[in-house]
Amino acid sequence: MLPTPKLDDKTFAELVEEAKALIPVYAKKWTDHNIHDPGITFVELFAWLIEMQIYRLDRVTDKNKRKFLKFLGIKPGHVTAAKVDVIFSLNTYPNTIFVPKGTKVAAKDVETGESIVFETAYGIHVVPVKLERVISQIWEEIRDNTEANMLDGHFYHAFGERAKEGSMLYLGFNAAEEFPHEEIDLMVSLYEGDLVEKVKRGEEEPEIIPPVEVRWEYTKAKAKDEISAKCVDWAPLEFIMDETLSFTNSGRISFKVPTDVVKCKVPPCEEEKYWVRCRVEKAGYDIPPRIDAIRLNTVPTTQGKTVTNEPLGFSTGLPNQTFFFQHKPILAGSQVISILDKTWKEVDDFDASGPEDLHYVIDHDNGELIFGDGVHGLIPPKTNIKVTTYRFGGGEEGNIKAGAINMIVDVDEKRKNLKVTNKLPASGGKEKETLEEAIIRARKYLREPYRAVTSKDYEYIAKATPGLRVKRAKAIPDKRKGSVTVVVVPESTLDKPKPSEEFLMAVYRYLDKRRLITTEVYVEEPEYVEVSVNARVKIKRGYESGKVRQRIENTLKQFLHPFKGGPEGDSWQFGRSVFKSEIYELVDGIEGVDRVQELNMVDGEYRYDGEKIGIPDRGLVYSGKHTIRITGPEEEWRGGFHEQYGF
């Protein structure tokens, strides 16, 4: 018999003595600690109860813990596979080469010398085309972003820093011969290094509608008999897929260029190229697109290998049969088990399975497949059992560095002209989660509010909306109406960001599922109050007035920023008034300022009462234009002298 583990070695006597030692800390007037005291009787009672809990805890096995976790909807995570985008290129430029889904590319493990294999997520056409120019046009301003698109770690604004309606992004392509009329895939990588990650909550798929509308076009000849660079029109481009949702996410853009595409010149490019462009038809970006790179012939890959039609053994028709895969660990969700043309379903256990249910349990880490006993889960009939398909691999070994992938596995005659590499390192590969790690994750999960009851719950859940970046949230309850209004602010690079209607609707849908049935929920945008400061300031001798003025304006702009401002410098609180006294103190403390001679504040709604500007409950401040007049020691002396003697 195995020895019983001791999870806690405290005895009844030790628990009593420990409790007595704490009495002077919490009850200084309690001085009688003998056994005849009724309070000590209670101490001994609770010590006995704790000892019984420890006794039971020592008998909780890992199987019990896994079952308890299942009640919470949590199970230890399986091995996950690393992912990375790879770029295919052609040694020469003859024809388009199709790379099918599941093509294997590999990197060498520097320690073992073995190949670390990745497989492509979908098929792409590797086209003999180069993306040679990337140009942004914001009204009359034209910016050439070609170099920034080629350099790693440099981003550019696709439609300018404001992404106003009418802004355009031009992509100029060049082909060795005629432009191929195949499906063209572009991989768009947005720069999001300074932003918080979009929230992911379990397996829940967010329903996100882009807040903007864009239009894609290509250069088309005006007439068949007039193929001239000066005689072109912009025609709508046939789109196949846009995973970026109008440049709000990183992802794949696929389109098919028609046969009537022609070359032309687009300033400042003096060379003729094949052009496509994207025009902002309806503005409304929370974060104007900042592009890290747009790449051709690029496809996502996942580390691991695919196996098909692998025989597992012969079913004897007996209960609780177990079969083993030839490879492990199995990547979760990749396996397909089909017996006699019927697909069986994976379950965590057979507790809820009936005698006719086509269920099986799989141990991904050990590559073990288990069937039911005829009461809980159908017993497979007497036949050969094989797995239709599955993938194995994963783990931290797949987190390879940039440029490590340089081989195409099993190259055939058609694809010997291809090269492959990865510009960025692979990421996401993890080893299996231990039971202890899953328990820690469960504790964190239990601390997260899932049902909105208090104002803090509404604010937390609003900021946890999957697929969105919610920077600020404020819940304003109305007890008379039994409603809660949640004001949300999106993460943004703008000074006073406002959520789009689609953004508000996404937050509302998420909150609506988690509210109490008797509570009405409204999700609204914030009300911004512009605050401007007019001041006359005397500066100290030896300081330049221009630099001091700039310092004052920058300090006021920072202090009145809705995200970075406020007395603590972290954010401006909803509904917090702006007081004249704190502006006085702020300006007076700036380097070079001798004293503040005059100061008042201005806002658009005339809420200034001489002492403060009142901000509504759903309101945030933002900095307006400040007027700072500077006087120096000489100017003050001259003014006083002239007044005294009437000059």
Side-chain angles (χ1 to χ4, degrees), residues 343-359:
T343 302
W344 291 53
K345 181 181 177 182
E346 177 191 352
V347 293
D348 293 331
D349 53 48
F350 296 113
D351 292 355
S353 302
E356 300 297 324
D357 290 333
L358 307 179
H359 290 173

Side-chain angles (χ1 to χ4, degrees), residues 243-300:
E243 293 179 346
T244 70
L245 298 178
S246 303
F247 291 105
T248 56
N249 296 310
S250 297
R252 171 191 181 192
I253 292 177
S254 297
F255 56 87
K256 193 168 185 178
V257 179
T259 55
D260 56 356
V261 62
V262 295
K263 285 186 173 182
C264 70
K265 296 179 181 179
V266 170
C269 181
E270 295 298 327
E271 300 175 357
E272 292 186 348
K273 303 198 181 297
Y274 297 101
W275 293 94
V276 298
R277 74 179 183 185
C278 180
R279 175 199 294 269
V280 178
E281 295 282 304
K282 174 189 170 186
Y285 283 104
D286 299 321
I287 303 174
R290 300 175 297 172
I291 297 179
D292 183 57
I294 298 177
R295 296 188 178 96
L296 269 169
N297 302 330
T298 303
V299 61

Side-chain angles (χ1 to χ4, degrees), residues 307-313 323-327 330 334-339 360 362 369 371 384-391:
V307 179
T308 58
N309 298 321
E310 179 181 283
L312 300 180
F323 299 90
F324 292 91
F325 293 81
Q326 294 180 17
H327 308 280
I330 312 300
S334 66
Q335 77 281 351
V336 176
I337 306 297
S338 181
I339 302 174
Y360 64 87
I362 185 171
L369 183 69
F371 289 100
N384 289 314
I385 305 295
K386 66 179 180 179
V387 55
T388 304
T389 183
Y390 72 94
R391 299 188 75 245

